[in-house]
Coordinates of all heavy atoms in Angstrom, one line a residue:
M797 N -30.3 -24.8 13.3 CA -30.0 -23.4 13.7 C -30.9 -22.9 14.8 O -32.1 -23.2 14.7 CB -30.0 -22.4 12.5 CG -29.0 -22.6 11.5 SD -29.1 -21.4 10.2 CE -27.9 -20.2 10.7
R798 N -30.3 -22.2 15.7 CA -31.2 -21.6 16.7 C -31.8 -20.3 16.2 O -31.3 -19.7 15.2 CB -30.3 -21.3 17.9 CG -29.8 -22.6 18.6 CD -29.1 -22.2 19.9 NE -28.1 -21.2 19.8 CZ -26.8 -21.4 19.9 NH1 -26.4 -22.6 20.3 NH2 -25.9 -20.5 19.8
K799 N -32.8 -19.9 16.9 CA -33.6 -18.7 16.4 C -32.7 -17.5 16.5 O -32.7 -16.6 15.6 CB -34.8 -18.5 17.3 CG -35.6 -17.3 17.0 CD -36.7 -17.0 18.0 CE -37.4 -15.7 17.7 NZ -38.2 -15.3 18.7
S800 N -31.8 -17.4 17.5 CA -30.9 -16.2 17.6 C -30.0 -16.1 16.4 O -29.7 -15.0 15.9 CB -30.2 -16.2 18.9 OG -29.4 -17.3 19.0
E801 N -29.5 -17.3 15.9 CA -28.6 -17.3 14.8 C -29.3 -16.8 13.5 O -28.8 -16.1 12.7 CB -28.0 -18.7 14.5 CG -27.1 -19.1 15.6 CD -26.7 -20.5 15.5 OE1 -27.3 -21.3 14.7 OE2 -25.7 -20.9 16.1
I802 N -30.6 -17.2 13.4 CA -31.4 -16.7 12.2 C -31.6 -15.2 12.3 O -31.5 -14.6 11.2 CB -32.7 -17.5 12.1 CG1 -32.4 -19.0 11.8 CG2 -33.6 -17.0 11.1 CD1 -33.6 -19.9 11.9
V803 N -31.9 -14.7 13.4 CA -32.2 -13.3 13.6 C -30.9 -12.5 13.2 O -31.0 -11.5 12.5 CB -32.6 -12.9 15.0 CG1 -32.6 -11.4 15.2 CG2 -34.0 -13.5 15.3
I804 N -29.7 -12.9 13.7 CA -28.5 -12.3 13.4 C -28.2 -12.4 11.9 O -27.7 -11.4 11.2 CB -27.3 -12.8 14.2 CG1 -27.6 -12.6 15.7 CG2 -26.0 -12.2 13.8 CD1 -27.7 -11.2 16.1
L805 N -28.5 -13.5 11.3 CA -28.3 -13.7 9.8 C -29.2 -12.7 9.0 O -28.7 -12.1 8.1 CB -28.5 -15.1 9.4 CG -28.4 -15.4 7.9 CD1 -26.9 -15.3 7.6 CD2 -28.8 -16.8 7.7
V806 N -30.4 -12.6 9.4 CA -31.3 -11.7 8.8 C -30.9 -10.2 8.9 O -30.9 -9.5 7.9 CB -32.8 -11.9 9.3 CG1 -33.7 -10.7 8.8 CG2 -33.3 -13.2 8.9
L807 N -30.4 -9.9 10.1 CA -29.9 -8.5 10.3 C -28.7 -8.3 9.4 O -28.5 -7.2 8.9 CB -29.6 -8.3 11.8 CG -30.8 -8.0 12.7 CD1 -30.4 -8.0 14.1 CD2 -31.5 -6.8 12.3
A808 N -27.8 -9.2 9.3 CA -26.6 -9.1 8.5 C -26.9 -8.9 7.0 O -26.4 -8.1 6.3 CB -25.7 -10.3 8.7
V809 N -27.9 -9.7 6.5 CA -28.3 -9.5 5.1 C -29.0 -8.2 4.9 O -28.8 -7.5 3.9 CB -29.3 -10.7 4.7 CG1 -29.9 -10.4 3.4 CG2 -28.5 -12.0 4.7
L810 N -29.8 -7.7 5.9 CA -30.4 -6.4 5.8 C -29.4 -5.3 5.7 O -29.5 -4.4 4.9 CB -31.4 -6.2 7.0 CG -32.2 -5.0 7.0 CD1 -33.2 -5.0 5.7 CD2 -33.0 -4.9 8.2
V811 N -28.3 -5.4 6.5 CA -27.3 -4.4 6.5 C -26.6 -4.4 5.2 O -26.3 -3.4 4.6 CB -26.3 -4.6 7.7 CG1 -25.0 -3.9 7.5 CG2 -26.9 -4.3 9.0
F812 N -26.3 -5.6 4.6 CA -25.7 -5.7 3.3 C -26.5 -5.0 2.2 O -26.0 -4.3 1.4 CB -25.4 -7.2 3.0 CG -24.9 -7.3 1.6 CD1 -23.5 -7.0 1.3 CD2 -25.7 -7.8 0.6 CE1 -23.0 -7.2 0.0 CE2 -25.2 -8.0 -0.7 CZ -23.8 -7.7 -1.0
V813 N -27.8 -5.3 2.2 CA -28.7 -4.8 1.2 C -28.8 -3.3 1.3 O -28.7 -2.5 0.3 CB -30.1 -5.4 1.3 CG1 -31.1 -4.7 0.4 CG2 -30.0 -6.9 0.9
I814 N -28.9 -2.8 2.5 CA -29.0 -1.3 2.7 C -27.7 -0.7 2.3 O -27.6 0.4 1.7 CB -29.3 -1.0 4.2 CG1 -30.7 -1.3 4.5 CG2 -29.0 0.5 4.5 CD1 -31.1 -1.2 6.0
G815 N -26.5 -1.3 2.6 CA -25.2 -0.8 2.1 C -25.1 -0.7 0.6 O -24.6 0.2 0.1
V816 N -25.6 -1.8 0.0 CA -25.5 -1.8 -1.5 C -26.4 -0.7 -2.1 O -26.0 0.0 -3.0 CB -25.9 -3.2 -2.1 CG1 -26.1 -3.2 -3.6 CG2 -24.8 -4.2 -1.7
V817 N -27.6 -0.6 -1.6 CA -28.6 0.4 -2.1 C -28.0 1.8 -1.8 O -28.0 2.7 -2.7 CB -30.0 0.3 -1.4 CG1 -30.8 1.5 -1.7 CG2 -30.6 -1.0 -1.9
G818 N -27.4 2.0 -0.7 CA -26.8 3.3 -0.4 C -25.6 3.6 -1.2 O -25.4 4.8 -1.7
H819 N -24.8 2.6 -1.5 CA -23.7 2.8 -2.4 C -24.1 3.1 -3.8 O -23.6 4.1 -4.4 CB -22.8 1.5 -2.4 CG -21.7 1.6 -3.4 ND1 -20.6 2.3 -3.2 CD2 -21.5 1.0 -4.6 CE1 -19.8 2.2 -4.2 NE2 -20.3 1.4 -5.1
L820 N -25.1 2.4 -4.3 CA -25.6 2.7 -5.6 C -26.3 4.1 -5.7 O -26.1 4.8 -6.7 CB -26.6 1.6 -6.1 CG -26.0 0.2 -6.3 CD1 -27.1 -0.8 -6.6 CD2 -24.9 0.3 -7.4
A821 N -27.0 4.4 -4.7 CA -27.6 5.8 -4.7 C -26.6 6.9 -4.6 O -26.7 7.9 -5.2 CB -28.6 5.8 -3.5
G822 N -25.6 6.6 -3.8 CA -24.5 7.7 -3.7 C -23.7 7.8 -4.9 O -23.2 8.8 -5.2
A823 N -23.5 6.7 -5.7 CA -22.7 6.7 -6.9 C -23.5 7.1 -8.1 O -22.9 7.3 -9.1 CB -22.1 5.3 -7.1
S824 N -24.8 7.2 -8.0 CA -25.6 7.6 -9.1 C -25.6 9.1 -9.4 O -25.7 9.9 -8.5 CB -27.1 7.1 -8.9 OG -27.9 7.6 -10.0
F825 N -25.4 9.4 -10.7 CA -25.4 10.8 -11.1 C -26.6 11.1 -11.9 O -26.7 12.3 -12.4 CB -24.1 11.1 -11.9 CG -22.9 11.0 -11.1 CD1 -22.0 10.0 -11.3 CD2 -22.6 12.0 -10.2 CE1 -20.8 9.9 -10.6 CE2 -21.4 11.9 -9.4 CZ -20.5 10.9 -9.6
A826 N -27.5 10.2 -12.0 CA -28.7 10.4 -12.8 C -29.6 11.5 -12.2 O -30.1 12.4 -12.9 CB -29.5 9.1 -12.9
N827 N -29.9 11.4 -10.9 CA -30.7 12.4 -10.2 C -30.2 12.5 -8.8 O -30.7 11.9 -7.9 CB -32.2 11.9 -10.2 CG -33.1 13.0 -9.7 OD1 -32.7 14.0 -9.3 ND2 -34.4 12.7 -9.7
S828 N -29.1 13.2 -8.6 CA -28.4 13.3 -7.4 C -29.2 13.8 -6.2 O -29.0 13.4 -5.1 CB -27.1 14.1 -7.5 OG -27.4 15.4 -7.9
D829 N -30.2 14.7 -6.5 CA -31.0 15.3 -5.4 C -31.9 14.2 -4.8 O -31.9 14.0 -3.5 CB -31.8 16.4 -5.9 CG -31.0 17.6 -6.2 OD1 -29.9 17.7 -5.7 OD2 -31.5 18.5 -7.0
M830 N -32.5 13.4 -5.6 CA -33.4 12.4 -5.1 C -32.6 11.2 -4.4 O -33.0 10.8 -3.4 CB -34.3 11.8 -6.2 CG -35.3 10.8 -5.8 SD -36.1 10.2 -7.2 CE -36.3 8.5 -6.8
F831 N -31.6 10.8 -5.1 CA -30.8 9.7 -4.5 C -30.1 10.1 -3.3 O -29.7 9.2 -2.4 CB -29.9 9.1 -5.6 CG -30.5 8.3 -6.6 CD1 -30.5 8.6 -7.9 CD2 -31.3 7.2 -6.3 CE1 -31.1 7.9 -8.9 CE2 -31.9 6.4 -7.2 CZ -31.8 6.8 -8.5
G832 N -29.8 11.4 -3.1 CA -29.1 11.8 -1.9 C -30.0 11.5 -0.6 O -29.4 11.3 0.4
Y833 N -31.3 11.6 -0.8 CA -32.1 11.3 0.4 C -32.0 9.8 0.8 O -32.2 9.5 2.0 CB -33.6 11.6 0.0 CG -33.9 13.1 -0.1 CD1 -34.2 13.6 -1.3 CD2 -33.7 14.0 1.0 CE1 -34.5 15.0 -1.5 CE2 -33.9 15.3 0.8 CZ -34.3 15.8 -0.4 OH -34.5 17.1 -0.5
F834 N -31.7 8.9 -0.2 CA -31.5 7.5 0.2 C -30.1 7.3 0.7 O -29.9 6.5 1.6 CB -31.7 6.6 -1.0 CG -33.2 6.6 -1.5 CD1 -33.5 7.2 -2.8 CD2 -34.2 6.1 -0.8 CE1 -34.8 7.2 -3.2 CE2 -35.5 6.2 -1.2 CZ -35.8 6.7 -2.5
A835 N -29.1 8.0 0.2 CA -27.7 7.7 0.6 C -27.4 8.3 1.9 O -26.5 7.8 2.6 CB -26.8 8.2 -0.5
A836 N -28.0 9.5 2.2 CA -27.5 10.2 3.4 C -27.7 9.4 4.7 O -26.8 9.4 5.5 CB -28.3 11.5 3.5
P837 N -28.8 8.8 5.0 CA -29.0 8.1 6.3 C -28.4 6.7 6.4 O -28.5 6.0 7.4 CB -30.5 8.0 6.5 CG -31.0 8.0 5.1 CD -30.1 8.8 4.3
V838 N -27.8 6.2 5.3 CA -27.3 4.8 5.3 C -26.3 4.5 6.4 O -26.4 3.5 7.0 CB -26.7 4.5 3.8 CG1 -25.9 3.2 3.9 CG2 -27.9 4.4 2.9
P839 N -25.2 5.4 6.6 CA -24.3 5.1 7.7 C -25.0 5.0 9.0 O -24.6 4.1 9.8 CB -23.3 6.2 7.7 CG -23.4 6.7 6.3 CD -24.8 6.6 5.9
F840 N -25.9 5.8 9.3 CA -26.6 5.8 10.6 C -27.5 4.5 10.7 O -27.4 3.8 11.7 CB -27.6 7.0 10.7 CG -28.4 6.9 12.0 CD1 -27.9 7.1 13.2 CD2 -29.8 6.6 11.9 CE1 -28.7 7.0 14.4 CE2 -30.6 6.5 13.0 CZ -30.0 6.7 14.2
V841 N -28.2 4.1 9.7 CA -29.0 2.9 9.7 C -28.1 1.7 9.8 O -28.5 0.8 10.6 CB -29.9 2.8 8.4 CG1 -30.6 1.5 8.3 CG2 -30.9 4.0 8.4
I842 N -27.0 1.6 9.1 CA -26.1 0.5 9.2 C -25.5 0.4 10.6 O -25.5 -0.7 11.2 CB -25.0 0.5 8.2 CG1 -25.6 0.2 6.8 CG2 -23.9 -0.5 8.5 CD1 -24.7 0.3 5.7
G843 N -25.1 1.5 11.2 CA -24.6 1.5 12.6 C -25.6 1.1 13.6 O -25.4 0.3 14.5
L844 N -26.9 1.6 13.4 CA -27.9 1.2 14.3 C -28.3 -0.3 14.2 O -28.4 -1.0 15.3 CB -29.2 2.0 14.0 CG -30.4 1.8 14.9 CD1 -30.1 2.3 16.3 CD2 -31.6 2.6 14.3
L845 N -28.3 -0.8 13.0 CA -28.6 -2.3 12.9 C -27.5 -3.1 13.4 O -27.7 -4.2 14.0 CB -28.9 -2.6 11.4 CG -30.2 -2.2 10.9 CD1 -30.4 -2.4 9.4 CD2 -31.4 -2.9 11.6
A846 N -26.2 -2.7 13.2 CA -25.1 -3.4 13.8 C -25.1 -3.4 15.3 O -24.8 -4.4 16.0 CB -23.8 -2.8 13.3
F847 N -25.5 -2.3 15.9 CA -25.6 -2.2 17.3 C -26.7 -3.1 17.9 O -26.5 -3.8 18.9 CB -25.9 -0.7 17.8 CG -26.0 -0.5 19.2 CD1 -24.9 -0.6 20.0 CD2 -27.3 -0.3 19.8 CE1 -25.0 -0.4 21.4 CE2 -27.4 -0.1 21.2 CZ -26.3 -0.2 22.0
I848 N -27.9 -3.1 17.2 CA -29.0 -4.0 17.6 C -28.5 -5.5 17.5 O -28.8 -6.3 18.4 CB -30.2 -3.7 16.7 CG1 -30.8 -2.3 17.1 CG2 -31.3 -4.8 16.9 CD1 -31.9 -1.9 16.1
A849 N -27.8 -5.8 16.4 CA -27.4 -7.2 16.2 C -26.4 -7.6 17.3 O -26.4 -8.7 17.9 CB -26.8 -7.4 14.9
Y850 N -25.5 -6.7 17.7 CA -24.5 -6.9 18.7 C -25.2 -7.1 20.1 O -24.9 -8.1 20.8 CB -23.5 -5.8 18.8 CG -22.6 -5.8 20.0 CD1 -21.5 -6.7 20.0 CD2 -22.8 -5.1 21.1 CE1 -20.7 -6.8 21.1 CE2 -22.0 -5.2 22.2 CZ -20.9 -6.0 22.2 OH -20.1 -6.1 23.3
K851 N -26.1 -6.3 20.4 CA -26.9 -6.4 21.7 C -27.7 -7.7 21.7 O -27.8 -8.3 22.8 CB -27.7 -5.2 21.9 CG -27.0 -3.9 22.3 CD -26.2 -4.2 23.6 CE -25.6 -2.9 24.1 NZ -24.9 -3.1 25.4
Y852 N -28.3 -8.0 20.6 CA -29.2 -9.2 20.6 C -28.3 -10.4 20.7 O -28.6 -11.4 21.5 CB -29.9 -9.2 19.2 CG -30.9 -10.4 19.2 CD1 -32.2 -10.3 19.7 CD2 -30.5 -11.6 18.6 CE1 -33.1 -11.3 19.6 CE2 -31.4 -12.7 18.5 CZ -32.7 -12.5 19.1 OH -33.6 -13.6 19.0
A853 N -27.1 -10.4 20.0 CA -26.2 -11.6 20.1 C -25.7 -11.7 21.5 O -25.5 -12.8 22.1 CB -25.1 -11.5 19.1
A854 N -25.3 -10.6 22.2 CA -24.8 -10.6 23.5 C -25.8 -11.1 24.5 O -25.5 -11.9 25.4 CB -24.3 -9.3 23.9
A855 N -27.1 -10.8 24.3 CA -28.2 -11.2 25.2 C -28.5 -12.7 25.0 O -28.9 -13.3 26.0 CB -29.4 -10.3 25.0
H856 N -28.3 -13.2 23.9 CA -28.6 -14.6 23.6 C -27.4 -15.5 23.4 O -27.5 -16.6 22.9 CB -29.5 -14.7 22.3 CG -30.9 -14.0 22.5 ND1 -31.1 -12.7 22.3 CD2 -32.0 -14.6 22.9 CE1 -32.3 -12.4 22.6 NE2 -32.9 -13.5 22.9
D857 N -26.3 -15.1 24.0 CA -25.1 -15.9 23.9 C -25.2 -17.0 24.8 O -25.4 -16.8 26.0 CB -23.9 -15.0 24.2 CG -22.6 -15.7 24.0 OD1 -22.5 -16.7 23.2 OD2 -21.6 -15.3 24.6
Q858 N -24.9 -18.2 24.3 CA -24.9 -19.4 25.1 C -23.6 -20.1 25.0 O -23.4 -20.8 24.0 CB -26.1 -20.3 24.7 CG -27.4 -19.7 24.9 CD -28.5 -20.6 24.4 OE1 -28.3 -21.7 23.9 NE2 -29.8 -20.2 24.5
D859 N -22.8 -20.0 26.0 CA -21.5 -20.7 25.9 C -21.6 -22.1 26.4 O -22.3 -22.6 27.1 CB -20.4 -20.0 26.8 CG -20.0 -18.7 26.1 OD1 -20.1 -18.6 24.9 OD2 -19.7 -17.8 26.9

């Protein structure tokens, strides 16, 4: 594997983990005030990481 493929894979796994944590935090009714701080920025963080992965992949694309 090339280094760029590994970086994209790590970013994809990071986005997945952040999505799962945000989903669990948003679905938790145990302490909604505290978990809301974790769930609120999840869409922004996922969008930002997806944008970074897209730009990185585009810059390192080798046809």
Side-chain angles (χ1 to χ4, degrees):
M797 288 182 98
R798 294 188 306 248
K799 180 185 173 194
S800 60
E801 292 173 342
I802 293 172
V803 170
I804 298 300
L805 180 65
V806 168
L807 285 173
V809 170
L810 186 62
V811 165
F812 175 75
V813 169
I814 289 172
V816 168
V817 169
H819 175 73
L820 293 174
S824 176
F825 293 108
N827 189 355
S828 61
D829 291 338
M830 183 182 143
F831 285 120
Y833 291 115
F834 294 115
V838 166
F840 174 73
V841 172
I842 288 177
L844 183 65
L845 286 175
F847 180 74
I848 291 169
Y850 172 77
K851 286 297 189 179
Y852 186 85
H856 293 86
D857 187 24
Q858 299 174 359
D859 288 332

